[in-house]
Structures are given as C-alpha cells and as structure tokens.
Amino acid sequence: NAGVTQTPKFQVLKTGQSMTLQCAQDMNHEYMSWYRQDPGMGLRLIHYSVGAGITDQGEVPNGYNVSRSTTEDFPLRLLSAAPSQTSVYFCASSYSIPQRGGRETQYFGPGTRLLVL
Amino acid sequence: AQSVTQLDSHVSVSEGTPVLLRCNYSSSYSPSLFWYVQHPNKGLQLLLKYTSAATLVKGINGFEAEFKKSETSFHLTKPSAHMSDAAEYFCVVSGGGNQFYFGTGTSLTVIP
C-alpha cells in the first residue's frame, strides 16, 4: 500500500491563481480530511469527507473547495489564491468515521508546501 | 466542546535524560487521545493512542503516555532522549464529534 499520497510536494502561486492539491489513499478509508499547518497554530481542519459524495466544512474552509467523487481521491481546490493561504497542507484518512464512535488513527500524507506571492 | 493545550511550545533536554511533553485536554465526551510526531519537512507519524483501554499507553521508539482523567492530562514521556527524537510533537483529541483537534505543538530539542 502506498498509504496517503499528495501532489505536488511544492507549489508557488501568484495571488489570484487557482490550483488543485491532489490527495489519494489506497486503504479504502471512509473518512478523509484536509488540514493546513501554520507556525504556532498546530493543524487546522479545512474540509472533510465521510464518504464518496459527502463533504463538510471544518474550522477554516473559506477560500477552499473540495469534492469526493471516489473513495480514493479527495482534491482540495484553491479558487483564487491569497498570500494568507501560504501554508503546508496535509491530507489525512481513517477507516471509520469519528462521529460513529470510531477510534481509528488518522494517516497523514507527506504534505504540500504552498507559497502564494 | 473539545480542545487540547500543549503546555510547552519548546522543550530542550540533554541526550540520555528523560523527556516530558505535557498535554491537557478538554472534552465533553469520552475522548480518544493521540500523540503524533513530525520530523523536519516530513509528514505526521502516529506515536501512540489512547482509546479507553489501559490508561498507560506504550508507543513506538520508547515513548509512552498516561491518561489521567482526574487531571485531564495525557503527558508524553520517554526515559532517555535520543538525538533522533528531535522533532515537533502534537497532542490530538477526538471523540463524539467529527474532527480531530490538534494542540499547537511542542518542539523538542535534544542537546548532545
């Protein structure tokens, strides 16, 4: 198993550009999520999905869109990049859905470092 | 509501001495608690987790943590620090909701 994969590893954007961060997992996990990591703030949840066709907002969703057409893929779209979106983005997945009482570990991808100029 | 407070943003220890990274949590539910480690420019790796079984949890690389409900704490310890332990450590709480809540992280420096 490759686990959770993310592409690209690094990206530089100009303000106003759009792009998609890719995330895929091959573990047949129901639950997938996107976080951003900023210095001194830990990881903050952007969006999450509890299964194909179902997504919801996390703590910091503004400026980002997601979709989940398959179990494996969960892309994150930046509609119009802003310097405030400079961050490291992590995708994660887990087998069971937390609100169903699942205690499963989340598995993280290696991250995408994004710089918005 | 759930939250996590990591009491130290930075901890520095000498190689071979004990490590203590402190974490307090707040949860309206019976929580699951996790410690993750992040080495520089790497992703997050699970060290250990507590899921309402034994209160003393053993993880990888000699780390362990004890769940203390009365103190709402889940401190991470290791008897003897190694240079390879230098990293960022995150305490995470989950349970009853649909999110994992991360602490702000503790940066561990190991002095040779």
Side-chain angles (χ1 to χ4, degrees):
Chain A
N1 286 350
V4 180
T5 58
Q6 292 183 238
T7 57
K9 289 185 178 181
F10 304 96
Q11 184 70 48
V12 179
L13 292 179
K14 294 181 180 179
T15 297
Q17 287 184 315
S18 63
M19 78 161 294
T20 300
L21 280 64
Q22 301 291 344
C23 173
Q25 51 92 9
D26 61 357
M27 298 174 282
N28 201 31
H29 284 173
E30 286 187 274
Y31 184 84
M32 296 186 73
S33 53
W34 276 102
Y35 294 87
R36 60 177 290 172
Q37 183 182 27
D38 302 294
M41 302 188 74
L43 275 73
R44 292 181 293 168
L45 183 66
I46 304 171
H47 286 284
Y48 64 95
S49 168
V50 300
I54 307 170
T55 64
D56 206 347
Q57 296 180 352
E59 181 183 357
V60 288
N62 292 340
Y64 307 95
N65 274 358
V66 292
S67 60
R68 183 100 178 266
S69 56
T70 67
T71 299
E72 294 78 18
D73 301 300
F74 190 44
L76 177 73
R77 297 182 186 85
L78 279 69
L79 307 173
S80 177
S84 61
Q85 294 178 303
T86 293
S87 188
V88 181
Y89 292 85
F90 288 99
C91 179
S93 72
S94 63
Y95 178 70
S96 62
I97 299 168
Q99 68 264 35
R100 292 184 187 170
R103 305 296 189 181
E104 297 296 324
T105 302
Q106 284 205 79
Y107 295 87
F108 286 83
T112 294
R113 295 181 179 276
L114 177 66
L115 173 63
V116 182
L117 301 175
Chain B
Q2 298 174 90
S3 66
V4 172
T5 302
Q6 291 185 242
L7 300 171
D8 306 292
S9 59
H10 186 262
V11 170
S12 183
V13 300
S14 297
E15 190 176 18
T17 64
V19 176
L20 171 63
L21 305 182
R22 298 182 294 165
C23 173
N24 286 354
Y25 71 91
S26 173
S27 177
S28 303
Y29 305 91
S30 177
S32 288
L33 292 156
F34 305 78
W35 276 99
Y36 282 85
V37 61
Q38 183 182 29
H39 288 92
N41 300 314
K42 299 290 186 182
L44 282 82
Q45 179 185 19
L46 179 71
L47 274 179
L48 50 82
K49 66 179 181 180
Y50 165 78
T51 57
S52 73
T55 57
L56 182 62
V57 181
K58 294 187 182 299
I60 62 172
N61 300 334
F63 284 95
E64 63 182 36
E66 185 172 7
F67 174 72
K68 293 186 177 181
K69 186 176 181 179
S70 61
E71 299 177 9
T72 61
S73 68
F74 190 57
H75 301 335
L76 181 70
T77 61
K78 182 173 181 178
S80 177
H82 190 273
M83 294 299 295
S84 61
D85 295 327
E88 189 88 12
Y89 292 79
F90 292 96
C91 183
V92 183
V93 64
S94 176
N98 51 25
Q99 298 186 27
F100 280 41
Y101 293 87
F102 282 77
T104 53
T106 298
S107 176
L108 176 65
T109 298
V110 182
I111 303 167

